[in-house]
Amino acid sequence: VALLGLAIYEPRRVDPLIELRFFRSAPFSGATVIAISTFAAFSGFLFLNTLYLQDVRGYSALQAGLCTLPMAALAMVCSPLSGRVVGNRGPRLPLFVAGGCMVASAVMLTRLTAGTSLALLLSSYAIFGIGFGSVNSPITYTAVSGMPDDQAGVAAAVASTSRQVGQTLGVALT
């Protein structure tokens, strides 16, 4: 309802909060969809895996957190590398790596049981971390590069908001 109200009200304003015509830009809209999807996957991943580690495997909160360290460490390492690749070659390669790694990790996690080996679990977390670390720079680059220079701040804000919406949807859906 709020989105419908925004779509009806904003175009009629002299100085709209956000120009809805920007969503006609494929790079801008694509970056928004990628941000929502990626962060929904990330928050769903953290939510479900924490429950799995604690409830199914019987790990303490500390042990569950330590198991997710490969994901966090590789996301931290891959994020600046992704930024360099985006700066040198554009966003396609990091987006491809991000999508491929996140899908591969998800496929690996589809057959979890209480007896799944810790090595398989940690490797799937590491692969997810590579994918998640590779996606943030291309999202921002694509959203901002598709807009006029005077709207770059708005584009970055929409990308950031899309990330937050994705996180909320990811936990809600899982």
Side-chain angles (χ1 to χ4, degrees):
V1 171
L3 186 59
L4 180 63
L6 179 74
I8 293 170
Y9 179 72
E10 280 297 303
R12 298 179 182 166
R13 293 190 56 192
V14 175
D15 191 19
L17 177 64
I18 183 168
E19 303 242 6
L20 297 179
R21 66 184 167 92
F22 291 157
F23 286 96
R24 292 183 197 144
S25 164
F28 181 75
S29 295
T32 301
V33 170
I34 291 169
I36 291 171
S37 302
T38 301
F39 277 79
F42 175 66
S43 62
F45 165 85
L46 286 179
F47 181 65
L48 288 179
N49 278 291
T50 302
L51 292 176
Y52 164 77
L53 291 169
Q54 291 181 17
D55 292 341
V56 175
R57 293 187 79 114
Y59 291 174
S60 69
L62 176 63
Q63 290 170 318
L66 290 173
C67 284
T68 61
L69 276 179
M71 184 273 306
L74 283 165
M76 183 179 72
V77 168
C78 291
S79 190
L81 295 175
S82 173
R84 288 188 192 130
V85 172
V86 168
N88 292 330
R89 295 199 172 135
R92 288 184 188 199
L93 180 60
L95 285 174
F96 179 77
V97 169
C101 287
M102 291 177 82
V103 166
S105 174
V107 169
M108 292 171 72
L109 293 171
T110 58
R111 302 226 182 244
L112 285 182
T113 64
T116 299
S117 76
L118 190 58
L120 176 69
L121 191 64
L122 296 179
S123 63
S124 69
Y125 291 177
I127 292 169
F128 191 92
I130 293 168
F132 187 72
S134 299
V135 80
N136 280 306
S137 296
I139 288 172
T140 304
Y141 174 83
T142 305
V144 172
S145 68
M147 293 293 104
D149 289 343
D150 64 333
Q151 294 294 318
V154 173
V158 170
S160 178
T161 301
S162 299
R163 289 176 174 106
Q164 294 169 10
V165 167
Q167 287 178 331
T168 304
L169 287 175
V171 171
L173 291 174
T174 55

